[in-house]
Amino acid sequence: MDNESLLVCCDMSEICIVKAIKNVDIKKHKRLCELGLIVGAKVQFLKKNKDGSGLIVLRGCVFSIDKTLAESIVVLRGNVCKK
């Protein structure tokens, strides 16, 4: 069973797998794809602020992410991510 959640709900240092990106305009979605934030990518919070924004690690690079974007990324959590 997959444990589906929003990225904003994930804990710090928890490794998650991107399942979908929702409610973003086409230009922002294209830019995220160029950065490597695509379905199947592993992502984790390096630093998380109380409002849900923070720093994420994606493909070995650190990116800043705001709360709105973190609420738009659907991820899989749990045992499926530990492989």
Side-chain angles (χ1 to χ4, degrees):
M1 177 187 282
D2 295 336
N3 191 2
E4 191 175 301
S5 179
L6 296 176
L7 182 61
V8 74
C9 299
C10 295
D11 299 324
M12 212 168 72
S13 299
E14 177 182 9
I15 298 173
C16 301
I17 297 176
V18 176
K19 182 176 180 184
I21 301 171
K22 300 185 180 214
N23 304 323
V24 293
D25 61 47
I26 192 71
K27 284 179 76 175
K28 188 176 280 189
H29 192 273
K30 182 178 177 184
R31 181 63 180 144
L32 293 172
C33 290
E34 290 171 348
L35 293 173
L37 191 63
I38 59 173
V39 174
K42 290 184 180 180
V43 63
Q44 77 181 93
F45 270 108
L46 184 64
K47 180 181 185 231
K48 186 174 179 184
N49 300 322
K50 291 180 181 179
D51 69 349
S53 64
L55 299 175
I56 60 167
V57 177
L58 173 70
R59 299 181 183 259
C61 298
V62 178
F63 296 99
S64 176
I65 189 169
D66 67 357
K67 179 184 177 184
T68 306
L69 187 56
E71 290 174 337
S72 301
I73 301 171
V74 180
V75 295
L76 299 175
R77 301 168 70 181
N79 292 335
V80 71
C81 304
K82 296 183 181 182
K83 296 178 182 176

